[in-house]
Structures are given as C-alpha cells and as structure tokens.
C-alpha cells in the first residue's frame, strides 16, 4: 500500500500501508538488517514499534530521517518551520529542484512515503517552541535535534529532562561536526553538562558565514541515526561521550560527558522550557523574521490568497501561501502557514518591528 496523507489543521499524518513484508520484522525489506546480531528480530521489532521525532529537516535531518525510514522505524514525526531554498540542495538530500519553495516537512514527508510506505509519517509545518514542545514529543521513543540554532537545542534538552526521553544532538559547520546522545532520564548526561549556556549571538560561525561541507552534514546525520537506532534496539545503553569529527582532515575525538553540578539535569533549572514564547524572531544567518500568530488559529488559506491578490504575486497550496509584494521594496517575500505563522524575508537585514507591523496589515490580529 502507498503512503497517504490525512490533513488535520497544520499537522498531517501520513499513514503507511503497513501491509506485506514491509511492515513485518522478518520481512524481506529488512532482511540484511535483521541478520546483524546487534539488531536481529527483536531489535527490528523494537524499531517497528518506535516513534521518533525529528526536529529540523535540513542537512542533518534529511539524512537521519531517510536512514530511519529505511531502517523501519514505525513512525516518524517530521517537524520543521522552514521552506526549501535552492542553496539547500547542496546538502539537504531529501529535496530536489522541484521542491524549492515547498515547506520542508511536506516535501520530506512526500519523499519518505515513497521510500517506505510501511511506516507512519506525521508532518508538522510549525515552529517548535516552549509552548508546543511537550505536545510534539509526547509519546516519543527518541527525539532527534537536527536544528540550526542553540535556543531550540537547549529547549529540547529541557523538555527531555522533564519527560525523561533520550535525545540525539548533532551539529555541523565548515568541515567539522559533533554528535552525542543525551539521556538524563536514564542516568546519563544532558547538553548543559557540557555547555552550561548557549553561545552568545555571533560567537560561533554558521553555515551562512563559514560554509559547510556536504560530507560533514551527511556523516553527522548518519551518526545521529545510528545513535537513535542503538537507543531503540539496546534500551539499556546510556550514551556517555560526545564525538567530534573533522571530515577534511579525517580526525575524530571523543569528550566524556558528566557534570555533577549541572544546573539543568542535576539542579532542575529548566530555564528554556519555562521561558515565554517569542512572537517575533530573526532566523539565524538569514534576512528572515518569523512571526507567530497571537493566538491559536487555523487559517483558510484559499480565502487569504484571494485577499492578498491585489498586493502582488501570490502562490499557494493547501500547506502555505506566499506573497511577493509589488510595492514594498523592503520585502522579498512573505510566507504564511495554516497555523498563522509567517516568514517574512527582507531584502536587507530582517527587522522584527517592521515584520510585526506587516503581519498586522496583511493578516490582522
């Protein structure tokens, strides 16, 4: 059976067929994997019964989600707030040129449903924040952080401490990447055992400022998937090291992870989970500002597209509507999703106050 997508608000649940050998631990699809003593029939059964939340579907998330889909993880929840850009295609392996402009979560879900129709797929075109993180990861077996900003990573860390879930961290820039599994609920370390606070703005290089090697992101994404597979198939395993890799020099290093004085997993300070949600935020390394709806909503995108028609060029789908304003020379595009969240791309540096004003003008409060 082919995967199908059932829409529910801004969340889609793609339900794989699950029939035949594709949905069975001993089926032909997973035959080579089941032969591994590290997995076997028992491990494959655990994979088929697992639910993994992948937060971020860029370079790392593309690779991790693809490998987990092929390995037979029973259900993947795909969470991403962004759309596909042409510059993504150098390293974000789930997408093609035809996907440019599409919501990443939607394009990723469509591709993964073709890869393995025997698994379930949940598609969430939303921003993960302190207001929804606990709902998005509820019932998960493992959470994978494949994001590109420190604030979200620390938020996932807090949520994992609160829920007791294991999660997998990954990051890559230039030719270097890092990966680690954290499971404070199982007696292991958390992210703040290594780094008490996130880096200050501009302190670290980004892919936009320093570039990124696609083999680095592919390797880290694969290592994240591997860590996830082991956490599922070997549930007694508690990760205890961070792995750092320089793909260009082919140097590997490990760092032990433990801090009895950690303010989060030892001291209970969940500062990021308890922080208020920011209604407007500039996205890392881009001239784009994200605006959240002032209250929970489900927009009629067809009606909104008709209202926007006099403002400029409007393109839409059932997932989002994009406006290219005819008169506002400061704005390159505005993209809105069914939950009322908008991405406004400026010609120059993103301006949060200006973005709030445009949201009120174009959408209302």
């Amino acid at each position: 059976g082919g995967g199908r997508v059932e829409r529910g608000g801004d969340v889609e649940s793609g339900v794989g067929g699950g029939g035949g050998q594709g949905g069975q631990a001993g089926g032909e699809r997973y035959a080579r994997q089941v032969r591994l003593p590290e997995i076997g029939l028992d491990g494959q059964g655990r994979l088929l019964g697992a639910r993994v939340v992948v937060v971020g579907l860029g370079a790392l998330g593309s690779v991790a989600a693809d490998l987990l889909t092929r390995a037979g993880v029973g259900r993947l929840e795909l969470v991403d707030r962004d759309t596909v850009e042409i510059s993504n295609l150098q390293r974000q392996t789930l997408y093609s040129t035809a996907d440019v402009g599409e919501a990443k979560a939607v394009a990723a879900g469509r591709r993964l449903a073709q890869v393995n129709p025997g698994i379930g797929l949940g598609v969430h075109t939303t921003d993960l924040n302190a207001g929804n993180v606990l709902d998005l990861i509820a019932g998960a077996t493992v959470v994978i952080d494949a994001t590109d900003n420190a604030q979200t990573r620390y938020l996932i860390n807090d949520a994992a401490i609160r829920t007791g879930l294991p999660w997998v961290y990954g990051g890559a820039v230039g030719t270097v990447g890092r990966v680690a599994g954290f499971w404070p609920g199982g007696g292991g370390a958390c992210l703040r055992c290594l780094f008490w606070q996130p880096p200050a703005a501009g302190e670290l290089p980004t892919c936009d400022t320093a570039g990124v090697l696609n083999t680095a992101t592919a390797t880290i994404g694969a290592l994240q998937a591997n860590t996830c597979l082991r956490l599922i198939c070997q549930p007694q395993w508690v990760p205890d090291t961070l792995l750092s890799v320089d793909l260009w020099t082919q140097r590997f290093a490990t760092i032990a992870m433990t801090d009895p004085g950690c303010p989060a997993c030892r001291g209970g300070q969940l500062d990021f989970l308890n922080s208020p949600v920011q209604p407007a935020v500039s996205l890392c390394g881009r001239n784009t500002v994200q605006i959240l709806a002032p209250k929970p909503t489900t927009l009629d995108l067809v009606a909104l597209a008709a209202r926007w028609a006099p403002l400029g060029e409007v393109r839409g789908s059932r997932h989002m509507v994009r406006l290219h304003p005819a008169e506002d020379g400061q704005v390159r595009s505005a993209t809105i999703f069914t939950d009322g969240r908008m991405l406004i791309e400026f010609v120059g540096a993103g301006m949060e106050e200006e973005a709030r004003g445009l949201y009120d003008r174009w959408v209302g409060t």
Side-chain angles (χ1 to χ4, degrees):
R4 59 187 173 90
V5 174
E6 297 176 347
R7 187 160 172 74
D10 70 320
V11 177
E12 301 171 348
S13 19
V15 183
Q21 293 181 328
Q24 300 174 2
E28 184 179 353
R29 178 182 289 267
Y30 310 116
R32 304 299 186 273
Q33 189 164 277
V34 168
R35 290 178 184 173
L36 290 168
E38 292 84 356
I39 295 181
L41 280 173
D42 181 66
Q44 192 63 52
R46 290 180 182 275
L47 291 174
L48 290 169
R51 179 172 176 263
V52 174
V53 180
V54 181
V55 184
L57 293 162
L60 304 183
S62 287
V63 173
D66 184 48
L67 292 173
L68 294 174
T69 296
R70 295 175 187 277
V73 169
R75 183 170 180 85
L76 287 180
E77 304 294 344
L78 308 173
V79 184
D80 197 290
R81 66 187 182 184
D82 215 343
T83 58
V84 180
E85 298 180 358
I86 191 70
S87 62
N88 299 154
L89 302 183
Q90 168 251 358
R91 64 199 179 280
Q92 300 184 16
T93 56
L94 283 180
Y95 313 119
S96 69
T97 304
D99 296 317
V100 172
E102 178 66 278
K104 286 185 180 179
V106 173
R110 183 168 56 235
R111 170 60 179 157
L112 295 175
Q114 296 172 341
V115 169
N116 189 351
I119 72 167
L121 293 166
V123 174
H124 308 264
T125 56
T126 191
D127 175 60
L128 184 132
N129 55 58
N132 62 16
V133 60
L134 295 178
D135 289 334
L136 286 171
I137 70 173
T141 310
V142 180
V143 179
I144 291 184
D145 157 49
T147 63
D148 60 359
N149 70 92
Q151 293 294 324
T152 305
R153 291 194 177 105
Y154 280 78
L155 173 61
I156 292 171
N157 187 67
D158 278 6
I161 293 171
R162 172 70 62 84
T163 59
L165 292 174
W167 69 284
V168 184
Y169 155 79
V173 65
T175 65
V176 177
R178 298 187 297 191
V179 63
F182 295 110
W183 192 11
C190 82
L191 179 62
R192 294 185 74 182
C193 291
L194 280 173
F195 313 108
W196 275 28
Q197 297 293 339
E203 182 178 341
L204 296 178
T206 69
C207 294
D208 295 83
T209 61
V212 63
L213 189 67
N214 62 8
T215 55
T217 54
T219 300
I220 296 302
L223 288 169
Q224 286 188 283
N226 185 75
T227 302
C228 181
L229 292 174
R230 190 174 176 189
L231 284 165
I232 295 170
C233 295
Q234 191 179 343
Q236 72 278 13
W237 176 60
V238 178
D240 60 0
T241 57
L242 177 144
L243 175 64
S244 179
V245 181
D246 187 325
L247 266 294
W248 202 252
T249 62
Q250 298 187 6
R251 292 179 179 174
F252 292 68
T254 56
I255 302 172
M257 303 188 304
T258 181
D259 184 353
C262 176
C265 64
R266 310 300 182 188
Q269 297 179 23
L270 305 184
D271 304 321
F272 301 87
L273 185 59
N274 296 324
S275 296
V277 177
Q278 298 297 317
V281 61
S282 297
L283 301 189
C284 178
R286 297 169 53 188
N287 298 330
T288 300
V289 176
Q290 174 180 264
I291 305 289
L292 300 182
K295 59 184 178 181
T297 186
T298 301
L299 291 179
D300 182 342
L301 293 183
V302 174
L304 183 64
R307 282 167 42 202
W308 278 5
L311 301 177
E313 180 186 352
V314 178
R315 296 181 180 179
S317 70
R318 61 195 183 95
H319 312 294
M320 65 185 192
V321 171
R322 174 169 291 128
L323 166 68
H324 295 276
E327 297 182 0
D328 196 321
Q330 298 183 86
V331 177
R332 195 181 304 277
S333 68
T335 304
I336 194 163
F337 300 86
T338 52
D339 63 355
R341 182 174 60 89
M342 181 184 281
L343 300 177
I344 301 179
E345 182 186 4
F346 290 88
V347 174
M351 299 171 286
E352 294 180 9
E353 288 298 327
E354 177 73 7
R356 290 192 186 98
L358 291 171
Y359 190 97
D360 291 343
R361 284 170 48 196
W362 293 341
V363 183
T365 56

